[in-house]
Amino acid sequence: MGLSFPPFLLLFGGVLLTPRLFCVATYCPPPDFPERGRYVPEKLKYEVGTQIQYFCTNGYPMDFIDNGWVISVKNVACQSSGEWSGQTLFCDIPIKLKNPILSSDTDSKELDGKEHKCFGYQNDTEEILQFPLDDELIPYAFFLCFTKGQGVFNIRFSPTWNFTYDTDIIKNSVCAYFSIDTYHSKTKSITIEVSSKTNSSIAVCDMIVFSKDDNWCDHPPEYSAINGQLEVNHSKAVLHCKEGFREKEGREVYATCKNNTWSYLNLKCVDTQENKKSLELTCIAESHCFPPSFIL
Ligand SMILES: *[C@@H]1O[C@H](CO)[C@@H](O)[C@H](O)[C@H]1NC(C)=O
Ligand SMILES: *[C@@H]1O[C@H](CO)[C@@H](O)[C@H](O)[C@H]1NC(C)=O
Ligand SMILES: *[C@@H]1O[C@H](CO)[C@@H](O)[C@H](O)[C@H]1NC(C)=O
Ligand SMILES: *[C@@H]1O[C@H](CO)[C@@H](O)[C@H](O)[C@H]1NC(C)=O
Ligand SMILES: *[C@@H]1O[C@H](CO)[C@@H](O)[C@H](O)[C@H]1NC(C)=O
């Protein structure tokens, strides 16, 4: 007891020293979004607790989780801090693979899939498919699609990385997704050795490969723009100012990536009618702030 103050007095004293404590965000601004993608729902502002879901209009939704690339449906929520609970994902487009070079024509035959060319293997045969690449690339994830059957696959990003995949019995056509978390050197070709199991057959129908560029960031930029949104891919973040605002010098590129690190170019969205210099409250946009007069 002794010298203690009533709690409201303590609170009042705290408020006078740190008026920021009185800024309570009840909305989040529209979040950043991926190049070739968006999120739903789209609004001008979001109440705390609202969830949005990212999607890709082109490419595959990729999120970097625990050192690997995950194809994901991503939801983030507006938090009471006025910030989103997570960052945007990326919409990545696979590289174009040419038809593979086959080690022999006797054991395999091209099957006439509707969309894909399949390579089939009967009863204990082996085959090697080699996909030559136009450039030296750093693969980071791939799909391998099969028809029904059972087989063993050794996938080699020559010469340093290989992976063996022993399928269970596959009853319907499926694609298996693999994320390559430790592979960081370039390759000029991808090789798949396929062996079907005794009394079984299997066909490989399509391989879909994702690769990194030289300028590449695993995560989107950490810093977003006030009064604007960023449209991001792995190497660039482009600024879109919200309605009534424009970049102060008409620039677009907000940040660029080199060696997995973003550099920020100091862009700013400013009010198009720079008339009223509003109260210098440090609350973020769309927060509810008690005006100073209320506090005094
Ligand atoms: C696959 O990699 C392992 C080491 O991780 C190596 O011992 C093996 O020879 C490789 N196999 C092929 C077919 O390249
Ligand atoms: C293959 O299947 C047939 C009949 O299902 C069986 O008679 C034969 O022993 C099997 N062969 C092997 C090597 O498992
Ligand atoms: C392979 O095995 C399947 C199932 O046992 C059989 O129906 C088929 O005739 C065999 N094909 C060849 C080429 O031996
Ligand atoms: C990112 O977008 C820029 C254009 O804004 C483009 O030049 C670049 O190739 C893209 N990078 C990736 C990794 O998609
Ligand atoms: C890129 O980053 C890695 C680790 O962050 C570092 O070891 C390497 O020296 C960097 N390379 C360049 C060219 O800056």
Side-chain angles (χ1 to χ4, degrees):
M1 301 266 283
L3 279 176
S4 68
F5 290 97
F8 88 91
L9 263 187
L10 279 177
L11 180 62
F12 195 62
V15 166
L16 284 176
L17 286 172
T18 55
R20 270 162 179 261
L21 285 181
F22 262 64
C23 297
V24 180
T26 53
Y27 295 103
C28 290
D32 297 337
F33 61 94
E35 183 186 37
R36 299 180 283 269
R38 277 317 282 208
Y39 49 80
V40 282
E42 283 199 46
K43 297 182 181 185
L44 292 174
K45 60 185 183 182
Y46 297 82
E47 278 176 37
V48 169
T50 310
Q51 280 215 354
I52 58 157
Q53 187 174 85
Y54 284 101
F55 65 88
C56 294
T57 50
N58 194 1
Y60 293 75
M62 291 283 190
D63 206 9
F64 193 71
I65 298 171
D66 296 336
N67 266 342
W69 291 95
V70 175
I71 294 208
S72 69
V73 173
K74 188 171 187 179
N75 296 310
V76 297
C78 171
Q79 298 172 302
S80 57
S81 59
E83 284 167 6
W84 292 94
S85 60
Q87 291 176 287
T88 175
L89 43 65
F90 296 99
C91 294
D92 290 352
I93 294 191
I95 58 171
K96 286 214 165 72
L97 287 177
K98 289 181 270 192
N99 276 340
I101 299 162
L102 306 177
S103 64
S104 73
D105 314 318
T106 48
D107 286 342
S108 70
K109 61 179 181 199
E110 274 185 32
L111 304 176
D112 194 16
K114 277 207 179 87
E115 287 168 45
H116 312 293
K117 213 174 252 181
C118 297
F119 301 91
Y121 308 94
Q122 300 289 330
N123 302 352
D124 215 7
T125 58
E126 280 189 30
E127 175 66 286
I128 298 174
L129 309 178
Q130 189 172 40
F131 297 87
L133 304 174
D134 283 337
D135 280 320
E136 286 208 305
L137 296 172
I138 302 178
Y140 68 85
F142 62 94
F143 279 107
L144 208 50
C145 304
F146 318 99
T147 57
K148 66 183 179 188
Q150 193 173 16
V152 179
F153 298 83
N154 187 274
I155 301 128
R156 199 155 69 233
F157 295 106
S158 61
T160 48
W161 189 90
N162 74 65
F163 175 79
T164 301
Y165 181 54
D166 192 345
T167 68
D168 289 331
I169 295 168
I170 296 169
K171 296 215 172 79
N172 290 303
S173 303
V174 288
C175 295
Y177 172 78
F178 305 87
S179 176
I180 308 169
D181 55 353
T182 52
Y183 185 74
H184 291 295
S185 64
K186 294 193 172 183
T187 188
K188 276 219 81 160
S189 71
I190 297 168
T191 306
I192 311 179
E193 287 176 31
V194 193
S195 0
S196 64
K197 294 234 166 134
T198 308
N199 267 0
S200 180
S201 64
I202 191 136
V204 184
C205 303
D206 224 355
M207 176 162 194
I208 301 167
V209 179
F210 298 88
S211 82
K212 295 186 181 190
D213 283 0
D214 285 336
N215 293 323
W216 179 273
C217 276
D218 289 332
H219 297 283
E222 214 170 311
Y223 303 110
S224 291
I226 293 177
N227 293 319
Q229 289 172 279
L230 302 181
E231 179 178 358
V232 301
N233 65 23
H234 293 282
S235 59
K236 250 179 205 167
V238 173
L239 176 64
H240 298 274
C241 291
K242 74 174 185 183
E243 216 180 306
F245 289 77
R246 61 173 173 80
E247 205 292 308
K248 65 179 192 302
E249 290 167 24
R251 294 170 300 173
E252 278 193 332
V253 178
Y254 186 81
T256 56
C257 177
K258 212 165 209 163
N259 199 21
N260 214 4
T261 307
W262 289 100
S263 308
Y264 296 87
L265 304 175
N266 201 18
L267 269 58
K268 237 182 205 149
C269 292
V270 294
D271 204 320
T272 38
Q273 323 133 9
E274 286 198 300
N275 45 12
K276 50 172 198 295
K277 189 102 179 150
S278 57
L279 290 168
E280 282 286 311
L281 287 175
T282 47
C283 295
I284 61 153
E286 303 297 346
S287 298
H288 280 339
C289 300
F290 293 90
S293 60
F294 179 87
I295 296 169
L296 298 172

